[in-house]
Amino acid sequence: MNCKLTPLLFLLFFASFNVQAQDKIYKKSSALGATFLLNDFTSASSIRSNGLPGTIEAGDLLKLKNMTPGLGIIYLDGISEHVDFAGTLQGSLLNYPLKDKPDFSNDKLLLEATAGLHLKLLSDKYAFTPYLDVNVGFSQYDKYFAAILPLGAGLQFNIAREAFILLNSQYRIPVTENSSYHFNHSISVVANLVPKKEVAPPVPIPVITDRDNDGILDSLDACPDSAGLAALQGCPDLDGDGIANKDDKCVDVPGIEKYQGCPIPDTDRDGINDEEDKCPNIPGVARYQGCPVPDADGDGVNDEEDKCPNEAGPATNFGCPVIDVVIVERINKAAQNIFFATGSSKLLAKSFKSLKDVAQIMQDNPSYMIDVDGHTDNTGGDELNQKLSESRANSVRQYLSENGVADTRMIATGYGETKPIEDNSSAAGRAKNRRVEMHL
């Protein structure tokens, strides 16, 4: 085969595409098939050595006894009416004549794979069509790999566009070492992978109506006479809560589906909806989850304002029980009879009787709390007076603690010289300012 003729053949082939025009496209579907093949190394070698006339004269051209059979698979897929993609995988058992390689002792598998194009003169509309094929590929024989360039021609027979028979001859040209020139003759039977679909008759176009002009066909519109939203199957939603008016019991107020389009109720109208309100029938505050501020002792003074939340008392006394005036006077009298050593926080013995009376009052009234406040005059420095007042208040607190009054019921505070009750300019005034006060 003279390779110089190849460009001319291709030119004539493509020129033939313009011979006819077709109204319908006949592009091949994906197809898969089996191939029987014959490899001919003898004819190719003789042509290269003696030329075609010499090969014919010697009788070495296309002799069946010089060919080795093989099997393969082929895949076809239409690119256009006149061009198909073709992929093949073929195998033959033979003694491959490799140049500069010793003869092999026995037959081995020659594996060849190609990919290329079938350039058809006619489309698959016709019963048969000639074609040229251009391919690239590779071969493997024993441990030898090579690239090849298969060029050929063939004839395709069309069986109802569902199956095809292909007769093909290729001249396989080595591109790299470890391959030999040879002819490859094959016959393939190929069938479509997906059956050809029958064209269904045209469906009558239905009459389309949209009475409310909302862009949703009446056949799909749940509210065909009221313009609405596609998300609500064509129904309107006046309050924009995502619930169609026809299903919304509160069409003017946004709500939730659970309450059929109405807001979550607030029965006691305290601003806290019933789902979050632990006292839905009694107005309350958010910090108590919708319940009123508690009043543990039931005295009408809520616990947040009640200084005695567990004992009933009037609001005038901050929710605490009113302390008997007699007891208050006893406490005040006891405070006036508390004496210390000069410049010291040490209690004098003459204070004990009064303090024991205070301790007894506290024991008899376990709900009472007492504040013990220490004060000084302005004699001496501020820091010294502050410490002295604190020490004296704590001395009283300590004595009461030792006589049965719990520490948790007493608060001792020193005020130094900051709260005088008389003028410090006189001895009498200073004497009155040096004091301890007790308040129930």
Side-chain angles (χ1 to χ4, degrees):
M1 180 176 182
N2 190 343
C3 292
K4 293 181 180 179
L5 295 177
T6 302
L8 180 59
L9 291 174
F10 279 116
L11 182 62
L12 292 174
F13 180 79
F14 281 111
S16 69
F17 284 177
N18 296 320
V19 170
Q20 61 177 3
Q22 299 180 37
D23 295 329
K24 187 175 180 180
I25 296 175
Y26 290 88
K27 189 175 78 167
K28 187 181 273 86
S29 301
S30 298
L32 187 66
T35 300
F36 175 76
L37 62 100
L38 293 169
N39 284 314
D40 182 359
F41 289 87
T42 303
S43 297
S45 177
S46 178
I47 290 173
R48 290 183 58 77
S49 300
N50 305 317
L52 182 58
T55 301
I56 295 173
E57 185 179 348
D60 291 332
L61 183 65
L62 302 178
K63 277 194 173 181
L64 193 59
K65 69 176 183 178
N66 294 331
M67 301 181 189
T68 54
L71 296 173
I73 57 174
I74 181 171
Y75 171 77
L76 298 176
D77 194 7
I79 298 174
S80 69
E81 285 190 324
H82 294 278
V83 181
D84 294 342
F85 169 79
T88 67
L89 180 64
Q90 300 177 352
S92 306
L93 286 173
L94 48 80
N95 194 325
Y96 196 2
L98 290 178
K99 185 179 180 180
D100 301 327
K101 299 289 188 300
D103 289 341
F104 295 89
S105 59
N106 52 16
D107 290 349
K108 297 182 182 296
L109 176 65
L110 170 63
L111 190 66
E112 293 182 312
T114 68
L117 301 176
H118 286 186
L119 309 174
K120 300 179 294 185
L121 179 64
L122 304 172
S123 74
D124 289 348
K125 172 183 178 182
Y126 297 95
F128 65 90
T129 180
Y131 65 87
L132 298 178
D133 62 308
V134 182
N135 305 270
V136 293
F138 80 92
S139 67
Q140 178 189 3
Y141 185 76
D142 195 22
K143 61 183 179 180
Y144 302 103
F145 293 85
I148 58 175
L149 180 65
L151 303 174
L155 188 62
Q156 172 185 286
F157 295 88
N158 184 353
I159 305 174
R161 293 180 55 223
E162 293 287 351
F164 303 88
I165 297 174
L166 281 74
L167 301 177
N168 181 256
S169 287
Q170 292 181 349
Y171 185 53
R172 297 195 164 180
I173 304 168
V175 177
T176 61
E177 295 180 352
N178 301 325
S179 180
S180 296
Y181 289 89
H182 63 284
F183 287 102
N184 179 283
H185 311 293
S186 65
I187 179 170
S188 302
V189 179
V190 184
N192 289 344
L193 292 174
V194 180
K196 183 173 63 176
K197 294 182 179 179
E198 296 296 332
V199 178
V203 178
I205 301 174
V207 178
I208 298 173
T209 58
D210 178 14
R211 294 200 298 269
D212 56 14
N213 295 315
D214 60 2
I216 301 164
L217 303 182
D218 289 350
S219 59
L220 304 174
D221 198 331
C223 302
D225 296 310
S226 302
L229 306 172
L232 297 176
Q233 293 181 288
C235 291
D237 176 17
L238 185 62
D239 56 16
D241 59 3
I243 301 168
N245 289 352
K246 66 184 182 68
D247 301 319
D248 198 332
K249 288 191 174 181
C250 302
V251 294
D252 298 318
V253 182
I256 60 176
E257 186 175 2
K258 179 178 178 180
Y259 294 99
Q260 296 175 290
C262 292
I264 300 172
D266 178 15
T267 305
D268 56 16
R269 300 183 181 278
D270 59 2
I272 301 162
N273 69 59
D274 288 357
E275 291 187 355
E276 298 174 352
D277 197 331
K278 288 193 172 180
C279 301
N281 298 309
I282 304 171
V285 294
R287 61 181 177 276
Y288 289 102
Q289 297 174 286
C291 292
V293 180
D295 178 13
D297 54 16
D299 59 2
V301 182
N302 71 56
D303 289 356
E304 291 184 358
E305 299 173 353
D306 197 330
K307 291 190 176 181
C308 301
N310 297 312
E311 290 184 273
T316 54
N317 199 39
F318 305 103
C320 291
V322 177
I323 300 173
D324 192 299
V325 175
V326 175
I327 293 177
V328 173
E329 290 178 353
R330 285 172 62 190
I331 292 294
N332 290 337
K333 184 176 180 181
Q336 294 170 4
N337 289 284
I338 298 174
F339 304 97
F340 299 91
T342 303
S344 168
S345 61
K346 182 180 179 181
L347 283 167
L348 297 179
K350 60 183 178 178
S351 306
F352 297 161
K353 182 178 182 300
S354 297
L355 289 176
K356 284 181 180 180
D357 187 35
V358 174
Q360 188 62 52
I361 292 172
M362 295 294 288
Q363 290 174 18
D364 292 342
N365 299 276
S367 65
Y368 287 0
M369 306 286 287
I370 191 168
D371 289 340
V372 181
D373 300 333
H375 301 273
T376 67
D377 60 20
N378 66 348
T379 305
D382 294 346
E383 185 177 351
L384 179 63
N385 287 334
Q386 179 62 34
K387 287 182 179 180
L388 181 59
S389 67
E390 291 174 2
S391 297
R392 287 181 172 179
N394 282 318
S395 292
V396 173
R397 181 176 181 274
Q398 180 65 31
Y399 186 89
L400 294 175
S401 176
E402 291 171 355
N403 283 270
V405 183
D407 289 342
T408 55
R409 298 173 62 196
M410 299 181 288
I411 298 176
T413 308
Y415 292 96
E417 59 188 69
T418 61
K419 293 187 176 184
I421 58 174
E422 293 290 342
D423 191 346
N424 280 308
S425 61
S426 66
R430 288 193 296 273
K432 289 185 177 182
N433 288 337
R434 295 190 297 273
R435 70 198 186 279
V436 170
E437 295 177 349
M438 290 185 286
H439 305 282
L440 289 178

